Amino acid sequence: MITHLSNRLRSIYHRNELLFSISVLLIFGGLAYVTHIDKLGFYRDDWYMLWAGHIFGPQAIVDLFSFDRPFVGVIFSGSYSFLGESPLFWQIYSLGLRTVSALGFFGIVRRLWPGHKVETTAAAILFFIYPGFLQWANANTKSN
């Protein structure tokens, strides 16, 4: 009876392994980032860009970056026009970008290393959490 149940669970896992791995990835990311997302504000380099947008409008953000990073200015200006000055919106936006990147990385490592399901899931979890966790409070600046 136990062997039959174990084989049945194993069969269900193997049929839904991809969904299970993606769910685990999203759960770990959620635990790392979502728990205090509503308590974060703007920090460090976020302020000068927000100040320029608030005082002079979104075009000022394009002008800020026109010398050294012109395309970033266009992206920030568009993001600022859409998200405004709400720290929560910027945190959600940043988390969305991070999630899409982690899922993309997961897909790439699965194609490169197809026989190693656990290892690729673990690599995607590390990619999701580690590179951004130390800077995740800077949602505005680090969104580029």
Side-chain angles (χ1 to χ4, degrees), residues 33 98 101-106 122-132:
Y33 294 111
R98 206 171 268 118
S101 298
L103 290 171
F105 180 80
F106 175 72
I125 290 169
L126 284 173
F127 178 85
F128 196 175
I129 295 171
Y130 178 68

Side-chain angles (χ1 to χ4, degrees), residues 84-106:
E85 298 173 5
S86 168
L88 180 61
F89 290 165
W90 280 97
Q91 293 296 333
I92 292 170
Y93 173 67
S94 181
L95 178 60
L97 292 175
R98 206 171 268 118
T99 302
V100 168
S101 298
L103 290 171
F105 180 80
F106 175 72

Side-chain angles (χ1 to χ4, degrees), residues 104-119:
F105 180 80
F106 175 72
I108 290 170
V109 294
R110 274 290 168 101
R111 288 188 182 261
L112 293 174
W113 210 8
H116 301 275
K117 309 287 189 205
V118 173
E119 292 86 351

Side-chain angles (χ1 to χ4, degrees), residues 33-88:
Y33 294 111
V34 177
T35 54
H36 298 291
I37 199 168
D38 61 329
K39 294 172 182 60
L40 296 171
F42 293 117
Y43 305 96
R44 297 183 190 96
D45 291 342
D46 293 346
W47 286 106
Y48 75 94
M49 194 215 31
L50 290 167
W51 175 83
H54 180 76
I55 299 297
F56 301 109
Q59 182 57 40
I61 298 170
V62 175
D63 297 341
L64 270 177
F65 294 98
S66 64
F67 178 70
D68 57 347
R69 296 175 282 170
F71 189 64
V72 170
V74 173
I75 292 172
F76 275 150
S77 176
S79 300
Y80 176 82
S81 296
F82 181 69
L83 300 169
E85 298 173 5
S86 168
L88 180 61

